[in-house]
Structure formats: structure tokens, C-alpha cells
Amino acid sequence: MDTDGSKLLSAGQRFWEAFRACLEENRVSPDRSAYYVGWVKDFVRFLPGKGLRDRSMEDIEGFLASMRKRRGISEWQVKQAERALTILYEVFLPGYAPRTEEMEENEREQATKNVPSRKGVLRDQPVPGEVERQYAALLDTLRTEIRARHYSIRTETAYVDWVRRFVAFHCYADPTGLDATATVKEYLDFLAVEREVAASTQNQALNALVFFYTHALRKPFGEMETFVRAKRPRRLPEVMTRDEVQALFGQMEGVMVLMAGLMYGGGLRLMECVRLRVMDIDFARCRIMVRDGKGQKDRVTMLSERFAGPLRDHLARVKVVYEEDRGKGVPGVYMWPAMARKYPRAASEWKWQYVFPAKSLSVDPRSGLVRRHHINESLVQKAVKEAAARAGLTRRISCHTLRHSFATHLLEARYDIRTVQELLGHADVSTTMIYTHVLNRPGLSVISPADF
């Protein structure tokens, strides 16, 4: 790639390009997005010594007021600038939404009172930024321990959020001075009794707090038997018939039907599909390599011949976007830290690119780099849900239903359950056995006495 500085975008240019793409994804027409970018640039110049992430609501109000005093500025332009700043903080830079000084002062005052709850707010709902203000070092240690074990960004986000809630529940008392066993049990009881959370949610909270005390605070619990894990209900999976699957596909198009086809055709989980890299697709052998799946396990599954052709065409279009990014100097895709250190150029190689990249650039939450990530999984979930509604399917249909249907249809076709287990990536065949309960074939079904 030509590294001539005149052909590479600076970090600042990439930021504005990514923001413009974000605007257009949020229904700002391309012919107007430049004006929105211009208003935000004016806002940057309005307070040159203050970063975008450090600005308050008063700064925004002051900027809009100054616009109204300018000659030639109409009220519709002020409204346009206001919307540009709303998209900037609520969509492009989530987590940095400006707050008024009065809001922060009132919330801090409430947080420092020795009361179990604030009016209208759950006891474990933290004041925004308060835990970070008091215990930033502890949260940083927690993140370091999580990353040292190569846990995903989702696990990191979930564990940090549970610690925030736990600290808020105990009125922001220093966790190092609390009786770990008693306070954790009290919080878990609160989750079960007052918040009435699902068993899986309560167990996740327990896992997060055990990790926090054991690895971040170096205060491991004595006997884990002290905590009673909530029993998760054993539910039968929702499974579509083959006709229902085809009806669902008939209501989808483009990238969405391709992703749905890969999930159904290979038994992929949603995030396994979203995170596929170009090198994971083997067209010659019609198979897909699933890397770092659930439980950090790799496995091989099949690539449906029906979707192999559309996938080739899709990758050809993705490569055009990839070459444009390389020409603009956009940083490569996310790589696992150890891999990035060992192969520093791999992130920019074609084989490592995501099969389903996002339409716009985004800010990496860990490194802060503006790069092209994979497609947002919520878009796929929404597309499947809406397609199911249009197809008139009355049962609950989700992306995971496609995986359930894959397994059930293979068993209906009399494939060996061990083979299905390997394709699904189940560690224990007993997990796969649940699909035998939804089959309707001789030996596994009973005729109703009403039909005798």
C-alpha cells in the first residue's frame, strides 16, 4: 500500500469521515451530512481548549445561544446543529453524553447520603460516573485481570457493570472493607426477590462478583457452597419446520438473508456468524471454520451450497470496500492482542477481514482507533424478527431458532447425534439430546389416545 502522506487520511480526518457515515446511517441524507459535520466542527472551535468528551450540557447550550446571535443564522439551522450534537453524543460517542452541573451535583449529593435507595431508582442503579470517580483504580484493575485472561469485550462490559451495581447497592462503601460473603449474598437475594431477575442473570452477577473479589481484590471466597446458584429452567427449544424456514427467508434479502442462511445451514450462533473472517470460509471443501466460539473452542461446520454463490458475490463487494479503506489509511480490523504483536501487519491483510463488515467506521472501545468493525448483531436480530412477523410465523423466532432448527432437521434426517454434537460444538452429548424431545418420528413420538 502506498504510504505517501498525501494519500493517507489523518486520525482527525478518519474521525470526521466515520461521523459523517454515522449521520447517514441515522437518516441524514448525504447532501446534508456535510452541514451536520460543519456544525460539530464549529462546536469544537467554540471551546478550543476542551475536548468533545469533556464538555457539559451548559457548553452545548452556550454554543447554540451564540449561533442565535450570529447574523444570517436561522432557527432551523440552530435546530440542525442541535440534532447533529445529539447524534454525536447519543450514537457516535455513547457514554459521553454531556450532563448539567446541577444534575451531577444533585446526584453526587444523593449518592453520598447513607440511604439504601434514591426516589424512583432501583437500589443498585448507580449514579452515572460516581463509581468511576471513587473507585477508578479498582475498575482499572478489574479490566486488567479480565483482559489478561483474554475474556471478550462483552464479558468485560458485563462484569464491570455488575461491580458498579454492587457498589451502588451498598451505598458506595469501599468494597475492600466489606464482608464479601455477607454482602454478595445480600445483593444476590435482592436481585432474586426485589428485581425478580432470571436465574441466568443472577448467576452472571455471582460470577462477576466472585471474579472481582478473587482476582481484582485478591480476597477469594472461602466456600462457594455458601452461595446457592439459581436453578435455570430447562426449556425446550423453539424449532421451525422446513416450510417455515423457507417462508422466513422469503421475507429477507441481501446480507441479512445470507447471514440467516449461514446460521441455519451451518448451525452457527449469531456472534459466530457476525465474527466470521474471510479466511474462515473454505469454498473448495464447502465448510466454515468457527474460531474462538463459545468456551473459546474452534470447530468446523458445513457451508451450504445454496448460499456459497451469494457469499462469493458478497465477498467481492466487501473487497472493494476493503481496498478503499486501505487506500485511505484506515487501521485494519481488530486482532487478538497476542496475534497483533506477533503479526503486526495481519490486521490489514484481506484474509483477516470480517465477512460481514459494518457500513461505517466506528471507535474501538479499547484502543480508541477509528476502524471498520463487524456488522452490529442487533441489525440481524431485528431483521429476523421483522421477517418472521411478515411471514406470519406466530411462535417466538430469533437468530438462535435457526441453530435449533439446523440441529433438529439433521436429527429428523437420521444423522448420527454425535455428528450433530460436533457440528454444534457441544462439549457433552446430553446438551444435544434436548433436540430429540422436539422430533416427531417413529421411536421418539407417542400417538394421542384421542387418535386411537
Side-chain angles (χ1 to χ4, degrees):
M1 183 180 67
D2 190 348
T3 57
D4 184 357
S6 63
K7 294 186 178 182
L8 298 181
L9 289 174
S10 67
Q13 287 174 305
R14 287 197 296 271
F15 177 91
W16 293 117
E17 182 182 86
F19 178 56
R20 182 167 182 169
C22 176
L23 288 167
E24 292 173 7
E25 283 191 357
N26 283 271
R27 301 182 180 181
V28 176
S29 60
D31 59 326
R32 293 186 179 181
S33 59
Y35 296 104
Y36 282 66
V37 172
W39 295 128
V40 174
K41 286 184 177 180
D42 281 352
F43 182 56
V44 171
R45 291 189 287 268
F46 179 67
L47 293 169
K50 205 171 185 182
L52 279 174
R53 292 177 170 85
D54 302 321
R55 303 194 180 199
S56 66
M57 191 66 73
E58 284 79 4
D59 294 333
I60 293 179
E61 291 172 354
F63 169 68
L64 297 176
S66 71
M67 282 186 64
R68 290 187 173 95
K69 295 178 182 178
R70 280 197 256 169
R71 283 187 178 180
I73 297 294
S74 302
E75 185 60 27
W76 68 266
Q77 291 174 300
V78 177
K79 293 293 183 183
Q80 189 181 70
E82 185 176 8
R83 188 186 174 206
L85 293 173
T86 299
I87 295 174
L88 173 75
Y89 283 113
E90 292 186 1
V91 182
F92 191 66
L93 294 175
Y96 296 100
R99 307 178 64 76
T100 64
E101 293 179 2
E102 183 180 359
M103 288 167 62
E104 293 177 349
E105 183 178 341
N106 289 341
E107 289 178 337
R108 190 171 293 114
E109 182 180 332
Q110 289 289 332
T112 54
K113 291 181 180 179
N114 189 23
V115 293
S117 62
R118 304 187 303 281
K119 185 177 180 180
V121 181
L122 289 170
R123 289 180 63 188
D124 68 337
Q125 183 64 52
V127 172
E130 186 62 26
V131 179
E132 283 79 359
R133 186 182 69 83
Q134 295 190 43
Y135 303 109
L138 279 181
L139 293 181
D140 287 342
T141 302
L142 175 62
R143 292 188 181 97
T144 299
E145 294 294 334
I146 291 172
R147 294 176 188 180
R149 288 162 177 78
H150 305 291
Y151 289 1
S152 71
I153 184 67
R154 293 168 180 275
T155 301
E156 177 183 324
T157 302
Y159 279 22
V160 170
D161 186 58
W162 280 121
V163 170
R164 286 197 193 101
R165 289 178 173 276
F166 174 73
V167 172
F169 177 78
H170 291 290
C171 304
Y172 301 90
D174 187 350
T176 59
L178 298 175
D179 180 340
T181 303
T183 52
V184 170
K185 186 176 187 306
E186 182 184 359
Y187 182 53
L188 295 177
D189 290 343
F190 161 79
L191 291 178
V193 177
E194 294 190 34
R195 287 190 56 190
E196 299 179 334
V197 301
S200 57
T201 302
Q202 188 186 24
N203 287 333
Q204 185 190 61
L206 174 57
N207 292 337
L209 295 173
V210 168
F211 186 95
F212 175 61
Y213 271 98
T214 303
H215 301 292
L217 299 185
R218 307 291 181 185
K219 294 175 62 177
F221 292 102
E223 296 293 334
M224 286 300 294
E225 288 76 12
T226 305
F227 303 104
V228 179
R229 288 185 178 270
K231 184 178 180 180
R232 297 182 63 179
R234 190 169 179 81
R235 304 187 187 281
L236 293 179
E238 287 281 0
V239 176
M240 292 184 285
T241 65
R242 288 181 175 82
D243 289 341
E244 287 174 333
V245 172
Q246 300 313 315
L248 180 74
F249 289 167
Q251 297 298 323
M252 303 177 74
E253 59 183 14
V255 175
M256 296 305 164
V257 71
L258 179 56
M259 296 184 73
L262 294 183
M263 285 187 282
Y264 171 67
L268 300 179
R269 298 179 178 92
L270 172 59
M271 292 311 300
E272 291 172 347
C273 182
V274 165
R275 291 171 177 160
L276 284 175
R277 311 266 182 157
V278 173
M279 65 185 299
D280 298 334
I281 309 298
D282 187 342
F283 288 104
R285 296 182 177 86
C286 283
R287 67 183 191 181
I288 298 173
M289 171 66 77
V290 179
R291 302 180 189 275
D292 201 24
K294 189 174 181 179
Q296 296 184 326
K297 294 181 293 186
D298 294 352
R299 74 177 190 279
V300 176
T301 188
M302 70 274 283
L303 168 62
S304 167
E305 293 184 6
R306 171 182 173 181
F307 294 100
L311 183 57
R312 285 182 186 273
D313 297 338
H314 169 75
L315 287 176
R317 293 189 292 271
V318 170
K319 194 165 187 179
V320 173
V321 177
Y322 158 75
E323 290 171 347
E324 290 176 353
D325 284 348
R326 298 286 73 74
K328 295 175 182 177
V330 175
V333 295
Y334 169 80
M335 298 287 291
W336 300 272
M339 184 73 73
R341 288 192 297 271
K342 189 174 183 179
Y343 304 107
R345 296 184 180 180
S348 297
E349 295 177 2
W350 166 241
K351 65 182 181 180
W352 285 103
Q353 304 308 300
Y354 288 115
V355 173
F356 301 106
K359 289 184 179 179
S360 62
L361 304 178
S362 58
V363 180
D364 189 312
R366 284 181 171 173
S367 67
L369 291 175
V370 177
R371 55 166 42 123
R372 192 175 299 279
H373 200 46
H374 58 62
I375 191 172
N376 190 314
E377 68 277 8
S378 65
L379 298 177
V380 190
Q381 293 169 324
K382 182 179 179 181
V384 169
K385 184 177 180 180
E386 291 179 348
R390 289 194 297 270
L393 304 181
T394 55
R395 69 188 73 198
R396 291 180 59 189
I397 304 299
S398 67
C399 292
H400 212 64
T401 308
L402 294 167
R403 176 175 160 89
H404 291 325
S405 301
F406 162 84
T408 304
H409 294 168
L410 285 181
L411 291 173
E412 284 180 338
R414 298 183 182 278
Y415 282 98
D416 180 70
I417 195 167
R418 292 284 185 179
T419 301
V420 178
Q421 175 194 352
E422 291 295 324
L423 292 172
L424 291 173
H426 289 162
D428 195 323
V429 72
S430 63
T431 307
T432 317
M433 286 291 291
I434 192 172
Y435 296 107
T436 64
H437 295 291
V438 293
L439 294 178
N440 183 25
R441 60 187 176 91
L444 290 175
S445 62
V446 177
I447 299 175
S448 168
D451 297 327
F452 287 169

